[in-house]
Amino acid sequence: MVEENQLRRLQLLELEALIELRTFCQRHGMDFFLRGGSVMGAVKYSGFVPWDDDADIAIFRKDYDRLIELTATNEWSEKFDVISYKHNPEIHCYFPRVLLKEAIRKQEGLPKNNHLGLSVIDILPIDGSPNAAPLKAIYYAWVYIYRALAGVWTMGIEDTVDMHDSTKKKVLRFLKRIRIHRLYSQVGIYERLDRLYTKYPIEQSREIGTITGSLYKKEILPKEWWGKGHERAFENQSFLVPENDDAYLKQLYGENYLTYTPDITEQLARKHIK
């Protein structure tokens, strides 16, 4: 019961952060989509997936870049910070995260899920991708290589959110053993990823998505599936989800996403707080 109460406490904290961030975005003429498991939660449960302890959003690249800069120069929240490698390399993550301010986390006795504190929202950019199949194959290969090289730097950082599967961990451990990361900096790789992700404008792309997400190329979808989005109930609020949220969820989680419930082992494996 204690663990269930703490999980719900975290979810409500994440909801509070979502509301504050959306208010800030809309004040500056922007908005974001729920992403991944948060879309699943909106469609299946009208709120959080019952065992989820994180929230994810996606935002078009032009607004993503603005959001990073605006939150770095504005006191947008009394409780939360947006941390990006562009202003704090110690985040050890390409995309920015919303963290509860550390003094508040300690005061409220909440756990850490990140070496910097408690991360409550991941913010991923929506980018374009190549239209031609050969170019797309090259693009995916470079994304995988750069992400692997960046991931080597994160190995061994205590309390960092780790969502790599066992195969990826073996690759990263091998790369770290041969000390390949001594040849480059993590921020340098993030900057290369930035240039790669922004190489193909959304306006000229037939498929777009959050390629930097945990499901890699599965997260590249026909542009019309995203569309302008539509509102879905989420707890006592509503947020944007992809226009064709059914097709989106089937691509990410399979045809039977509405009826499938993972067992307890899989639920625990997906948690950010162990």
Side-chain angles (χ1 to χ4, degrees):
M1 183 61 71
V2 173
E3 289 182 356
E4 289 180 5
N5 287 341
Q6 185 183 66
L7 174 59
R8 187 58 182 160
R9 190 178 172 196
L10 286 169
Q11 290 176 343
L12 293 177
L13 184 67
E14 289 157 6
L15 179 63
E16 185 179 349
L18 284 169
I19 294 169
E20 283 201 41
L21 190 62
R22 181 183 58 183
T23 300
F24 180 80
C25 284
Q26 291 178 341
R27 190 184 309 140
H28 291 277
M30 304 181 288
D31 206 347
F32 56 75
F33 297 85
L34 296 182
R35 174 201 159 264
S38 296
V39 180
M40 175 83 81
V43 172
K44 284 185 71 170
Y45 304 101
S46 297
F48 288 97
V49 172
W51 52 88
D52 265 5
D53 62 0
D54 70 316
D56 299 278
I57 65 171
I59 185 167
F60 287 119
R61 169 63 69 167
K62 61 182 177 63
D63 293 332
Y64 171 87
D65 290 333
R66 281 186 67 214
L67 181 60
I68 291 173
E69 295 310 313
L70 285 169
T71 52
T73 56
N74 289 267
E75 185 64 25
W76 67 277
S77 171
E78 293 183 358
K79 291 188 71 169
F80 305 102
D81 291 316
V82 172
I83 308 296
S84 165
Y85 83 85
K86 295 185 178 185
H87 303 291
N88 185 349
E90 291 303 307
I91 188 66
H92 293 294
C93 183
Y94 168 76
F95 51 81
R97 289 186 159 125
V98 178
L99 272 73
L100 181 66
K101 289 181 185 289
E102 186 64 0
I104 296 175
R105 185 194 70 80
K106 291 178 177 178
Q107 179 183 330
E108 297 189 5
L110 290 165
K112 295 174 70 173
N113 63 357
N114 184 288
H115 60 293
L116 297 182
L118 179 59
S119 173
V120 292
I121 303 175
D122 290 344
I123 306 173
L124 275 65
I126 301 172
D127 287 309
S129 67
N131 292 323
L135 284 177
K136 187 163 285 189
I138 294 169
Y139 170 74
Y140 287 148
W142 277 114
V143 170
Y144 191 86
I145 290 167
Y146 287 152
R147 287 181 58 173
L149 292 175
V152 176
W153 272 96
T154 311
M155 297 287 287
I157 303 294
E158 290 187 11
D159 299 317
T160 299
V161 176
D162 179 9
M163 300 303 286
H164 297 302
D165 61 32
S166 58
T167 302
K168 289 177 184 174
K169 286 178 182 176
K170 287 179 183 177
V171 172
L172 295 180
R173 282 195 290 266
F174 169 75
L175 292 174
K176 187 158 189 176
R177 274 201 305 274
I178 65 174
R179 301 190 175 190
I180 195 169
H181 59 296
R182 299 291 181 89
L183 303 176
Y184 59 90
S185 70
Q186 189 175 45
V187 167
I189 293 295
Y190 289 157
E191 289 172 345
R192 284 175 179 261
L193 278 171
D194 226 33
R195 291 193 292 272
L196 180 61
Y197 291 153
T198 56
K199 185 176 180 179
Y200 302 96
I202 287 175
E203 296 76 15
Q204 298 169 21
S205 301
R206 291 193 292 268
E207 295 184 329
I208 65 175
T210 48
I211 184 67
T212 198
S214 57
L215 296 180
Y216 182 43
K217 63 184 179 181
K218 264 190 174 183
E219 301 200 29
I220 296 295
L221 315 160
K223 185 159 55 178
E224 60 270 19
W225 289 9
W226 287 95
K228 294 182 179 178
H230 67 105
E231 297 276 333
R232 277 275 191 181
F234 191 88
E235 301 293 336
N236 61 350
Q237 302 289 315
S238 65
F239 294 95
L240 280 180
V241 297
E243 193 75 43
N244 192 340
D245 49 26
D246 180 61
Y248 173 88
L249 289 170
K250 283 177 178 174
Q251 173 146 327
L252 266 62
Y253 302 112
E255 293 287 325
N256 65 339
Y257 75 87
L258 279 173
T259 56
Y260 176 73
T261 300
D263 61 29
I264 188 65
T265 302
E266 191 176 347
Q267 290 177 23
L268 290 172
R270 293 178 181 180
K271 287 186 178 296
H272 290 69
I273 297 176
K274 304 302 181 185

